[in-house]
């Protein structure tokens, strides 16, 4: 297994300034108290007429090419978090994702979104430039996460894993499916990626599929492709290679080659163990 190397973006400089199917449907929001903060917008829906038998028969055969973004909150179920903490984290996640997407020119409301409890599945239309997801989104999202964490207690801070892939998606009256989505989640849930994030002080771990790295990241002048490191992925039936970038919260520049920092003791991403002193 290769060890992820240096990461080429940080969370402090300001970020520089879509189909799949028919969908119904840069300032950062300030943190608010849970009872007063506005709930995130509902996910975009497919708008299918499921009462029409012909539509039901045909819709499962419909497919389109999408960019796939899957995100997951590290340690969401840890025991030191209360359900109230989790609600605030989820609201912070949606705010951070929407602000980052819209801040780099990816239309959030034009993306199909499905809530996953401790994460989100996002499908962007084929006409959305894939380069935006690697040239501008990593930095913008790291910045939004850092802003959220700076305004919340330890139990409500978060670090994210994010997978990038693209491929054909089938949709029906229940949502979406396809091997490409399965592959993205196998990357996202890979034990080796979890270990890479846990062993660093990064705020964001991005893993691109081998296809996404070869076709998009490697050819982008501004993705800092040299900072991605290969990572062997073994997750359920999937054995593949992903490409990992760990996002810093330091103030170093994109091209400074900032390396991984050692894990912080007492990090919010760690389980808090309480017991008698010895």
């Amino acid at each position: 297994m290769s060890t992820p190397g240096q990461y080429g973006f940080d969370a402090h400089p300001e970020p520089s300034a879509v189909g799949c199917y028919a969908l119904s449907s840069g300032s950062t929001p300030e943190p608010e108290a849970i009872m007063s903060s506005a709930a995130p917008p509902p996910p975009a829906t497919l708008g299918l007429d499921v009462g029409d038998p012909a539509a039901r028969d045909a819709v499962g055969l419909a497919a389109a090419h999408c960019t796939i973004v899957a995100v997951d909150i590290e340690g969401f179920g840890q025991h030191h978090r209360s359900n109230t903490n989790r609600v605030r984290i989820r609201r912070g996640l949606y705010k951070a994702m929407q602000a980052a997407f819209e801040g780099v020119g990816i239309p959030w409301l034009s993306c199909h979104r499905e809530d996953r409890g401790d994460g989100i599945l996002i499908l962007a239309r084929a006409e959305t430039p894939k380069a935006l997801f690697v040239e501008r989104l990593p930095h913008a999202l790291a910045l939004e996460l850092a802003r959220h964490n700076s305004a919340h207690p330890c139990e409500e801070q978060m670090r994210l894993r994010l997978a990038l892939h693209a491929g054909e998606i089938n949709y029906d009256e229940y949502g979406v499916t396809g091997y490409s989505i399965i592959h993205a989640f196998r990357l996202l849930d890979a034990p080796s990626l979890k270990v890479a994030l846990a062993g660093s002080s990064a705020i964001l771990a991005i893993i691109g599929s081998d296809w996404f790295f070869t076709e998009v990241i490697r050819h982008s002048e501004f993705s800092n492709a040299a900072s991605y490191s290969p990572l062997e992925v073994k997750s359920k039936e999937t054995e593949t290679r992903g490409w990992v970038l760990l996002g810093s919260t330091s103030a170093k520049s994109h091209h400074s080659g900032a390396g991984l920092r050692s894990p912080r003791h007492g990090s919010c991403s760690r389980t808090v163990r309480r017991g008698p002193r010895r």
Side-chain angles (χ1 to χ4, degrees):
M1 180 188 305
S2 301
T3 302
Q6 298 177 338
Y7 46 92
F9 66 93
D10 59 73
H12 284 278
E14 291 298 326
S16 56
V18 241
C20 254
Y21 30 71
L23 300 172
S24 61
S25 168
S27 61
T28 303
E30 292 297 325
E32 299 172 346
I34 183 172
M35 297 305 294
S36 61
S37 73
T45 59
L46 298 172
L48 301 171
D49 182 5
V50 297
D52 182 353
R56 287 201 305 270
D57 293 339
V59 72
L61 302 177
H65 186 87
C66 300
T67 298
I68 303 166
V69 180
V71 296
D72 185 86
I73 300 166
E74 181 191 45
F76 187 71
Q78 289 181 344
H79 294 302
H80 70 286
R81 304 190 199 272
S82 68
N83 284 341
T84 301
N85 296 145
R86 295 185 180 98
V87 169
R88 290 188 175 124
I89 292 171
R90 279 167 48 82
R91 288 183 175 175
L93 171 64
Y94 273 89
K95 286 183 178 181
M97 294 297 297
Q98 181 171 0
F101 268 54
E102 293 180 346
V104 304
I106 303 171
W108 177 255
L109 296 179
S110 294
C111 296
H112 175 76
R113 306 179 304 280
E114 292 187 2
D115 186 79
R116 297 299 172 110
D118 58 353
I120 316 172
L121 168 65
I122 304 163
L123 304 178
R125 296 173 179 267
E127 59 264 32
T128 304
K130 291 180 175 61
L132 292 176
F133 293 90
V134 296
E135 292 179 355
R136 302 169 69 181
L137 184 63
H139 164 66
L141 181 55
L143 176 66
E144 296 300 333
L145 293 175
R147 286 177 175 172
H148 169 88
N149 289 349
S150 68
H152 287 77
C154 182
E155 294 79 8
E156 294 171 8
Q157 295 178 18
M158 60 179 152
R159 304 201 300 174
L160 296 185
R161 302 190 312 277
L162 183 150
L164 287 171
H165 189 41
E168 294 296 295
I169 305 300
N170 288 79
Y171 57 95
D172 57 21
E173 62 267 38
Y174 307 109
V176 293
T177 188
Y179 178 74
S180 295
I181 293 176
I182 296 171
H183 189 72
F185 276 98
R186 294 296 184 262
L187 295 172
L188 185 70
D189 294 334
S192 53
L193 179 63
K194 295 178 181 180
V195 169
L197 179 58
S200 76
S201 58
I203 200 169
L204 174 65
I206 295 176
I207 183 167
S209 67
D210 203 30
W211 183 94
F212 209 89
F213 181 83
T214 301
E215 296 295 329
V216 181
I217 298 170
R218 189 172 67 87
H219 298 287
S220 167
E221 291 185 283
F222 306 107
S223 68
N224 207 358
S227 292
Y228 283 78
S229 297
L231 185 70
E232 295 304 313
V233 171
K234 294 183 179 180
S235 182
K236 294 187 177 180
E237 74 287 339
T238 299
E239 292 191 21
T240 187
R241 178 174 57 180
W243 293 85
V244 173
L245 181 73
L246 295 177
S248 169
T249 57
S250 72
K252 297 183 180 180
S253 71
H254 290 260
H255 304 290
S256 65
L260 296 179
R261 292 180 288 174
S262 58
R264 294 168 294 178
H265 296 290
S267 167
C268 292
S269 64
R270 312 281 180 174
T271 301
V272 176
R273 302 184 184 275
R274 294 183 173 88
R277 294 184 178 180
R278 295 182 180 179

